[in-house]
Amino acid sequence: MKLGMLTACLPQWDLDTIAKWAAGQGYQALEVAVWPGTGGRDFEASHLPVASFGEKEADETRALFDKHGLELSAFAYYENNLHPDLDRRGEIRTHLKHAIDAAQLLGVPYVGTFVGRDWTKPVADNLREAERILPELVEYAGERDVKIIVENCVMEGWHPDGYPGNLAYSPELWEWMFGLGLYLNWDPSHLTWIGIDPVETIAPYIDRIVHAQAKDVELRPRDRNRYGHFGPALDRTGNPWDMGWWRYRVPGLGQVDWSAVVDRLYEAGFTGTLSVEHEDPVWGGTPEKVTQGLEIAHRTLRPLIVA
């Protein structure tokens, strides 16, 4: 197992700067954000130009990672592959294929995305639509020796009422998407706030957990007693991502039992990358604060991982 980090939390920095900092801090791998450009969400970072990627860019990227002694564990392009706007859905599909093509050139084994959801339709209709369109993407990736990995993020902010916007949030849905040829970028934070014990989900699905993300979550049960699991109902216009009773934290500052998580990953035979995904509002806002948060995450996780 290697300890890595997702580069999306530092959209202001270029990849060379991130790699130099991460290697100096003791991280071993980078999960590289490859959105086409920074957008409306903090994690829409663009650290490699996959839409125009060729042999020259691949050689430069390999040299950069060799220089800093890092691995490139995966590409990250987490978007809604079931977007209700078909033009937008087509743009997402095209860019995902660009990411897959670039991964093939670099020998990157995984490209991360979301199943997503058309929030104007019921779940059953979404599942049938996914079964129609996702296998072609899986086949496209497989022909290039790349696996598509899906993070089990709920993406509640994509739904106008705060319901799941990514139909890959539970083991029930994992089993369904595995049947389409997809793999899992396992993240315990989302499981924790929706009431699933993350440790108990590792062993049954380890053959499909090929990459993992390290993000923590802080729960406020008193506020949950007011809103329920679905968050505020009367006013969701301010921030659709604020559920009112929990927030993401860097590993070590929330409810996730990281000793148990890492121990169970080892027991199950996981040999991939555990990649810190930094979305902690306390340790965010500026590159200085973000890197301080990443240092906290490293101090929490590094002692648990065999050298």
Side-chain angles (χ1 to χ4, degrees), residues 53 58 62 72-75 100-110 144-146:
F53 212 73
R62 278 190 286 268
L72 203 171
S73 66
F75 283 159
I100 293 167
D101 292 339
Q104 179 189 25
L105 278 175
L106 277 172
V108 175
Y110 310 120
R144 289 154 180 80
D145 202 24
V146 174

Side-chain angles (χ1 to χ4, degrees), residues 96 100 110-111 113 137-138 141 146-150 181-184:
L96 181 58
I100 293 167
Y110 310 120
V111 172
T113 191
L137 283 170
V138 170
V146 174
K147 291 182 173 67
I148 297 177
I149 57 175
V150 174
L182 297 163
Y183 289 78
L184 189 61

Side-chain angles (χ1 to χ4, degrees), residues 22-242:
Q25 181 61 35
Y27 282 100
Q28 300 165 289
L30 295 181
E31 180 183 2
V32 176
V34 295
W35 275 263
T38 54
R41 302 193 302 274
D42 290 343
F43 55 77
E44 288 185 354
S46 181
H47 287 131
L48 278 179
V50 294
S52 58
F53 212 73
E55 291 291 350
K56 175 177 178 290
E57 290 79 12
D59 289 343
E60 292 171 349
T61 303
R62 278 190 286 268
L64 186 156
F65 276 78
D66 288 345
K67 177 175 71 172
H68 296 294
L70 294 169
E71 291 191 10
L72 203 171
S73 66
F75 283 159
Y77 177 56
Y78 288 93
E79 278 293 354
N80 187 353
N81 283 281
L82 296 176
H83 200 289
D85 183 326
L86 295 185
D87 289 338
R88 177 62 184 137
R89 186 191 296 186
E91 292 170 355
I92 292 166
R93 188 180 191 83
T94 297
H95 192 74
L96 181 58
K97 287 186 172 182
H98 288 323
I100 293 167
D101 292 339
Q104 179 189 25
L105 278 175
L106 277 172
V108 175
Y110 310 120
V111 172
T113 191
F114 290 135
V115 170
R117 177 180 183 171
D118 178 348
W119 55 84
T120 70
K121 296 179 180 178
V123 170
D125 289 355
N126 273 271
L127 299 183
R128 302 296 83 77
E129 180 68 358
E131 290 164 2
R132 185 182 70 83
I133 67 172
L134 293 182
E136 188 268 334
L137 283 170
V138 170
E139 182 179 359
Y140 185 89
E143 290 169 350
R144 289 154 180 80
D145 202 24
V146 174
K147 291 182 173 67
I148 297 177
I149 57 175
V150 174
E151 183 189 349
N152 55 286
C153 184
V154 183
M155 293 307 288
E156 66 287 342
W158 275 349
H159 194 287
D161 296 320
Y163 304 145
N166 173 40
L167 296 178
Y169 57 86
S170 67
E172 176 192 30
L173 288 164
W174 300 349
E175 293 166 3
W176 162 78
M177 74 176 191
F178 295 158
L180 303 182
L182 297 163
Y183 289 78
L184 189 61
N185 193 5
W186 181 87
D187 185 326
S189 64
H190 312 298
L191 295 165
T192 300
W193 79 259
I194 65 174
I196 295 173
D197 181 350
V199 175
E200 293 302 313
T201 70
I202 294 172
Y205 302 105
I206 193 62
D207 61 328
R208 288 280 169 163
I209 300 174
V210 295
H211 198 274
Q213 289 187 328
K215 186 163 73 262
D216 216 326
V217 63
E218 177 187 354
L219 308 181
R220 301 192 298 271
R222 183 172 296 177
D223 292 327
R224 185 178 58 211
N225 287 341
R226 171 173 172 78
Y227 298 119
H229 272 82
F230 302 111
L234 299 180
D235 183 13
R236 296 192 58 82
T237 59
N239 178 5
W241 300 100
D242 184 2

Side-chain angles (χ1 to χ4, degrees), residues 266-279:
Y266 270 123
E267 182 182 10
F270 179 75
T271 58
T273 296
L274 181 60
S275 179
V276 174
E277 184 184 18
H278 183 344
E279 295 183 359

